[in-house]
Amino acid sequence: VGAAKAAGMQYLIITSRHHDGFSLWDSKFTEYDMAATPYGKGILKALSEECERQGIRFGTYYSICDWYREDYPVEYPSEDYAFREDRQLDEATMARMDHYITFMKNQLQELVSDFNSFLIWFDGEWEWAWTHEMGMDMYAYLRGLNNDLLINNRVDKGRIGMEDKNRDARFAGDFATPEQQIGAFDNKYAWETCMTIGEQWAWKPDDKLKSTRECIHTLLQTVGGDGNLLFNVGPKPDGPIEQRQVDILGQMGQWLAVNGEAVYGTRGGPFLPGKKMVSTHRENNIYLHLLEDPGKKMVLPLGKGVKVKKAYFLRDNAPVKVEQKEGKVTLRMPGNLPDTMASVLVLSLDKQASDIPVTKL
């Protein structure tokens, strides 16, 4: 929790139960859990309480598929595995799924009620045994437990591919979940990119990690597209987060301590994200996140009737010269940008930045 807070994160999602079916808390509904290990107790209570102490929202990942329980009808290993769409839910299979879903609901009630999980992050919905009707029912059940609960779209069958561009109101879920890639710009439907700090979800020795600069740019490309970032770190087998990862997270937090105004509470745009720059906005400010040096000047289309009252860098408040003509603004850049990771240039306008149409540069 301390590492998450130092990174500038505002919420934490723990993998409470993955596809192997093992629960990281002392569940009343299974013996296949942390309480059955020599440790003798679950870890979610301590983690959720520490999140509350440090002001971090506590949420839980929960897998729909289960490689352990006999009442879950998908067999492992199997050549047709999970993806066969022609498999049928016959009467016997439905009976098994009904029993399994009751187990799921009991466990999920524990997560919501006992640990005050503000978000349920489902996964494993791709398997043939899980249906759209089951997803809609589960969403309604959870909403009945806590109407403020956030539930991702993997509770249902609406996700298509890892990029998850599908936005179909017929399916349940409060936000989309593009995986291992930054989602496309979308300021109508909520989304959250989930991405790893290394090359895979689990920890492994000598995993190739993203550089601090790459991590910060991942965050900025995400918020510039009007999304949130769920940034995965994998604890080692004995519990601690690897120091290399902790160091990178801390460096991200240091950048956010200076530039967080341009990230927290902002919306993406009005300029669509590019490789060299992304933008965010709040109230009458546009924040230009310069991922590369733009050269001696930048020319941006703001439209007629919009005036830039002042322009300055967020890190050092250094002013930038502004010229405006025929709906375009020209910004004269200094010789050196103030931040080697990403420099944030603030445009203070005479009107609400949200009034400016989304524009591709």
Side-chain angles (χ1 to χ4, degrees):
V1 177
K5 190 173 184 67
M9 297 180 180
Q10 296 189 324
Y11 60 104
L12 182 151
I13 309 297
I14 180 69
T15 306
S16 69
R17 198 188 77 129
H18 204 254
H19 308 328
D20 59 2
F22 184 78
S23 301
L24 295 188
W25 73 100
D26 184 3
S27 175
K28 301 181 183 69
F29 303 99
T30 182
E31 296 300 315
Y32 192 52
D33 62 11
M34 281 289 291
T37 71
Y39 188 64
K41 58 183 178 180
I43 64 171
L44 296 194
K45 183 175 177 58
L47 188 62
S48 62
E49 290 177 348
E50 188 61 29
C51 280
E52 185 175 1
R53 276 192 289 269
Q54 296 203 37
I56 301 292
R57 302 296 299 273
F58 175 77
T60 45
Y61 166 113
Y62 189 91
S63 174
I64 289 172
C65 67
D66 192 308
W67 298 340
Y68 178 77
R69 291 182 60 90
E70 293 184 356
D71 54 357
Y72 186 72
V74 179
E75 305 298 331
Y76 304 96
S78 173
E79 289 184 3
D80 60 5
Y81 182 51
F83 304 101
R84 286 277 300 278
E85 295 182 358
D86 59 343
R87 292 292 297 271
Q88 298 298 314
L89 284 166
D90 56 25
E91 186 174 343
T93 303
M94 276 302 304
R96 291 173 67 184
M97 279 302 291
D98 287 344
H99 189 267
Y100 177 69
I101 289 170
T102 298
F103 162 75
M104 285 180 63
K105 288 180 176 178
N106 286 334
Q107 282 211 314
L108 289 162
Q109 183 175 19
E110 289 181 319
L111 296 179
V112 174
S113 301
D114 296 351
F115 309 115
N116 196 29
S117 180
F118 89 105
L119 185 153
I120 301 295
W121 211 103
F122 283 105
D123 200 10
E125 87 294 351
W126 56 78
E127 300 201 323
W128 63 266
W130 188 254
T131 68
H132 166 59
E133 291 74 19
M134 293 171 186
M136 294 289 285
D137 173 72
M138 183 62 74
Y139 184 88
Y141 168 77
L142 291 170
R143 184 68 58 218
L145 294 179
N146 178 2
N147 196 42
D148 293 327
L149 191 68
L150 288 175
I151 305 164
N152 71 339
N153 66 339
R154 300 190 188 191
V155 68
D156 202 346
K157 305 291 281 192
R159 181 170 66 118
I160 299 176
M162 291 299 190
E163 71 277 9
D164 197 7
K165 293 180 180 179
N166 187 45
R167 305 289 186 268
D168 192 327
R170 293 175 298 174
F171 296 96
D174 301 324
F175 60 95
T177 53
E179 181 172 333
Q180 291 291 48
Q181 55 192 289
I182 296 167
F185 183 93
D186 187 345
N187 60 3
K188 304 298 182 184
Y189 188 94
W191 60 274
E192 173 200 69
T193 276
C194 52
M195 189 174 290
T196 55
I197 195 171
E199 293 188 328
Q200 63 175 30
W201 290 104
W203 177 85
K204 67 177 181 182
D206 303 319
D207 191 13
K208 182 181 179 182
L209 303 183
K210 295 176 176 66
S211 68
T212 300
R213 189 171 188 269
E214 186 178 0
C215 291
I216 291 173
H217 286 197
T218 296
L219 170 63
L220 299 182
Q221 290 279 2
T222 302
V223 298
D226 208 46
N228 278 357
L229 177 63
L230 184 62
F231 202 48
N232 180 81
V233 297
K236 297 162 67 175
D238 56 346
I241 300 173
E242 185 182 7
Q243 189 61 46
R244 292 189 304 155
Q245 299 186 20
V246 172
D247 291 344
I248 292 171
L249 294 177
Q251 291 160 10
M252 294 178 72
Q254 291 170 15
W255 187 91
L256 283 164
V258 175
N259 300 287
E261 174 189 327
V263 173
Y264 300 119
T266 64
R267 299 299 301 269
F271 306 111
L272 291 178
K275 292 182 179 180
K276 295 183 178 181
M277 186 192 77
V278 303
S279 64
T280 55
H281 67 271
R282 180 178 56 233
E283 298 177 349
N284 67 324
N285 286 337
I286 295 176
Y287 302 96
L288 305 177
H289 303 258
L290 307 182
L291 309 182
E292 295 182 10
D293 192 331
K296 294 182 179 181
K297 67 178 182 179
M298 291 179 61
V299 180
L300 302 172
L302 280 182
K304 295 181 179 180
V306 181
K307 182 179 179 180
V308 178
K309 297 192 294 185
K310 62 178 179 178
Y312 60 95
F313 282 103
L314 195 54
R315 175 171 284 277
D316 55 13
N317 291 315
V320 172
K321 186 177 180 181
V322 179
E323 301 170 4
Q324 287 193 253
K325 185 178 181 181
E326 298 179 351
K328 294 183 178 180
V329 58
T330 300
L331 305 168
R332 301 291 176 180
M333 294 291 106
N336 296 303
L337 296 178
D339 198 313
T340 58
M341 296 292 179
S343 295
V344 178
L345 179 57
V346 185
L347 305 183
S348 181
L349 311 179
D350 65 346
K351 64 185 303 182
Q352 291 290 305
S354 58
D355 292 338
I356 299 172
V358 174
T359 304
K360 181 179 181 180
L361 297 179

